Amino acid sequence: MKTGIITTFIIALLIFSVSNAQSDFEKTQNFKKQYKILEDAIKDASSLEECNVIGESIIKFKNEFIADKELLDKALYPDNFESAFEKLERALEIRKGDFTQITELRTEIGELKTRVTELSEENQNLLAQIKALNLQVKKDAATIASLKRLIAQLKANIQQRDMLVRDIIDSLLTEFVKTPASLNEAEKQAIITKVDSRNLFYNIERTIMDNIQFMKVTQMTPNDLREMKKQYREFNKLWKQIGPRLSDVYLTRQDKVAQIANIDGMFYEWNSRLNDEIWTQVNQLFREKNLAVLPFRSGEQFVNSIYAFIDDEIKNLGVKNKDESLKTFYTFTDSVYFKTVQPVWIPILIENNLMTEENKDSIEAKIALWKEKLSPPSKFYWIYYLAGGIVIVALIVTYYIKTRNKQKVIPEQQEEA
């Protein structure tokens, strides 16, 4: 900012150096040269204060050449002296408007930054308390209640801090009106100053680390994991928008470029841990029921493990006791797959691209095949269908005969009467 003000001051000195002894041609050329310098100064201005100094320079510049107004009206055609200054003043007002918005935004972001810092400190304190309670060997009702309360508070704090940091990123994105390659040095420096003043990189790293720590200190439910995956997706999407632009702005700052790459890695770790937690909990459902399904960590592995388990069960039909085979089938289907895996976990897996609808259909087709092999339709079933058909036909014929006999009896009774 100081450099910009000094530059503007020099501009003003150049304007005052116009000599009265100049020829008309020299006066015109000098006016155009000074005018161009002021135009460029407006474009390169990096603060509202600098704009105000340029505004004073424009007034002095105008006063300096007011005596040559008639000469310049002709030389500036199709513009004239007044319209040329109107253009210059309009450009300056537009530039001032940019900085007014930024000043308002800066005030808002300053408040966000304060709240983000407070939440980060609270989160560290909550994490320490939760870890201490988890280490207690005996947990009475009061300890468990305290633990639940602290975890709920930490979860709410992390979500609130996530949103505040995302607001800071959003505000920076609005300033990337131009691509980083087309920003001039003053604009790049302004963005760097804002990123540094808001501790943006630190706050993003802190947010990701707190989310990972939260996963370590608490048992997450399917809804917790679904919610955190959503937070991850939204946060990561914003980072992918701004990360590469910041890399371009920080091309000459290797430490910052390395920090941006580190944040990319942290997002990857956060997502990997979430996926691992989801797959671990799905694996656990089968292990809890002593079903020997091979471990899996992807949709494809999930399908292959289920296929291998069912193929083994089908292969052992007739080798294993029939009741044992049936028990395994009903444990797999009624106690695990259709009770919890399909209604609770598969929607989460599909919406997070961890498996596909085709994977799900494939597994359920395999379960249907298993059921068919376990209890095949009897080849004598057609006998039952035939017998049923005969009974139905007999009933219809009987009903018809009875109806016809009844119709014959009525006329005979009428004749006797």
Side-chain angles (χ1 to χ4, degrees):
M1 183 184 296
K2 187 180 288 184
T3 305
I5 292 173
I6 293 170
T7 303
T8 307
F9 181 70
I10 293 170
I11 292 168
L13 286 179
L14 285 172
I15 291 170
F16 300 147
S17 67
V18 177
S19 168
N20 289 330
Q22 293 174 336
S23 67
D24 288 351
F25 176 77
E26 287 171 332
K27 284 179 183 175
T28 302
Q29 292 305 308
N30 197 17
F31 177 89
K32 289 180 178 177
K33 183 178 176 183
Q34 305 304 331
Y35 190 92
K36 180 70 171 54
I37 291 173
L38 284 168
E39 273 187 324
D40 291 343
I42 292 170
K43 289 177 188 171
D44 293 338
S46 59
S47 68
L48 188 58
E49 292 78 8
E50 199 170 329
C51 286
N52 290 334
V53 175
I54 294 171
E56 291 172 11
S57 299
I58 290 173
I59 293 170
K60 290 174 182 174
F61 175 48
K62 187 175 182 180
N63 290 336
E64 188 71 21
F65 282 88
I66 191 70
D68 300 312
K69 181 174 180 300
E70 190 175 342
L71 168 69
L72 292 168
D73 279 344
K74 296 175 185 174
L76 300 175
Y77 183 82
D79 280 330
N80 56 38
F81 183 80
E82 290 299 337
S83 66
F85 276 97
E86 284 171 8
K87 280 185 180 178
L88 208 54
E89 287 159 359
R90 193 161 50 246
L92 182 63
E93 286 307 310
I94 291 171
R95 192 66 179 142
K96 279 183 178 178
D98 294 340
F99 292 113
T100 302
Q101 288 178 355
I102 289 170
T103 301
E104 291 169 358
L105 201 56
R106 191 173 291 167
T107 304
E108 185 182 330
I109 291 301
E111 293 168 1
L112 287 178
K113 181 186 167 188
T114 303
R115 185 60 187 139
V116 167
T117 304
E118 290 171 356
L119 284 169
S120 296
E121 290 170 359
E122 284 177 23
N123 289 352
Q124 291 310 298
N125 186 34
L126 287 169
L127 277 166
Q129 290 183 59
I130 291 169
K131 283 177 183 174
L133 287 178
N134 275 330
L135 288 173
Q136 287 187 18
V137 178
K138 291 184 180 178
K139 295 184 178 64
D140 54 19
T143 305
I144 293 170
S146 178
L147 197 53
K148 286 181 178 175
R149 180 179 57 76
L150 292 173
I151 288 171
Q153 181 63 51
L154 178 60
K155 182 180 174 184
N157 275 15
I158 289 175
Q159 287 178 344
Q160 192 181 353
R161 208 264 311 279
D162 283 0
M163 291 177 66
L164 293 174
V165 175
R166 276 182 272 166
D167 284 345
I168 294 175
I169 297 176
D170 256 342
S171 71
L172 279 167
L173 275 172
T174 61
E175 295 183 27
F176 275 105
V177 179
K178 294 192 275 184
T179 60
S182 62
L183 293 172
N184 60 38
E185 283 308 312
E187 289 168 330
K188 284 183 183 177
Q189 188 54 50
I191 289 174
I192 288 171
T193 302
K194 285 163 198 164
V195 170
D196 291 346
S197 67
R198 293 163 200 173
N199 284 338
L200 179 68
F201 297 152
Y202 169 79
N203 282 322
I204 292 174
E205 289 171 347
R206 189 70 263 166
T207 297
I208 296 172
M209 282 191 285
D210 281 358
N211 275 291
I212 292 173
Q213 286 299 317
F214 180 74
M215 292 175 65
K216 288 180 180 175
V217 299
T218 184
Q219 176 68 42
M220 300 192 77
T221 66
N223 279 338
D224 289 336
L225 288 164
R226 168 178 264 155
E227 204 174 309
M228 193 176 279
K229 281 291 279 186
K230 185 181 174 192
Q231 288 170 19
Y232 161 79
R233 286 200 308 272
E234 293 174 352
F235 203 170
N236 188 48
K237 183 181 174 184
L238 268 181
W239 173 248
K240 282 182 174 173
Q241 286 178 279
I242 201 167
R245 300 183 196 196
L246 290 176
S247 289
D248 288 343
V249 169
Y250 278 107
L251 273 178
T252 57
R253 294 275 303 275
Q254 288 306 312
D255 57 330
K256 292 294 181 184
V257 173
Q259 198 169 5
I260 291 168
N262 181 54
I263 290 174
D264 285 338
M266 292 180 72
F267 269 106
Y268 177 81
E269 183 188 350
W270 183 12
N271 191 39
S272 295
R273 283 179 179 271
L274 276 168
N275 293 345
D276 282 349
E277 181 63 26
I278 289 172
W279 285 121
T280 297
Q281 292 203 26
V282 178
N283 273 283
Q284 184 66 22
L285 292 171
F286 294 99
R287 286 203 300 275
E288 284 171 353
K289 297 295 180 183
N290 294 318
L291 296 167
V293 176
L294 292 171
F296 43 85
R297 282 287 177 275
S298 69
E300 187 179 352
Q301 287 181 14
F302 184 31
V303 173
N304 290 338
S305 294
I306 298 297
Y307 263 52
F309 179 80
I310 293 176
D311 283 342
D312 275 350
E313 285 298 312
I314 291 173
K315 189 171 67 180
N316 289 325
L317 289 176
V319 178
K320 284 173 65 175
N321 180 284
K322 174 77 174 178
D323 290 342
E324 193 180 340
S325 293
L326 283 170
K327 183 181 175 185
T328 302
F329 175 80
Y330 288 118
T331 301
F332 184 97
T333 54
D334 295 350
S335 300
V336 180
Y337 187 81
F338 290 114
K339 181 182 178 184
T340 309
V341 175
Q342 187 210 53
V344 175
W345 288 102
I346 285 186
I348 296 173
L349 292 166
I350 290 177
E351 72 191 29
N352 288 292
N353 298 320
L354 294 173
M355 70 178 288
T356 63
E357 288 281 356
E358 289 72 24
N359 290 150
K360 170 182 172 289
D361 293 343
S362 176
I363 288 172
E364 291 176 11
K366 192 72 175 176
I367 293 173
L369 175 66
W370 184 13
K371 183 180 180 184
E372 187 181 324
K373 296 286 184 184
L374 193 61
S375 304
S378 170
K379 61 183 178 182
F380 298 111
Y381 276 179
W382 67 272
I383 295 176
Y384 297 114
Y385 294 138
L386 179 62
I390 291 171
V391 170
I392 291 169
V393 170
L395 288 171
I396 293 171
V397 170
T398 303
Y399 176 77
Y400 173 75
I401 293 172
K402 282 185 177 179
T403 305
R404 191 179 62 177
N405 290 341
K406 189 176 180 181
Q407 287 172 344
K408 283 182 179 177
V409 170
I410 292 172
E412 286 174 358
Q413 289 173 343
Q414 287 174 343
E415 286 175 6
E416 288 174 0

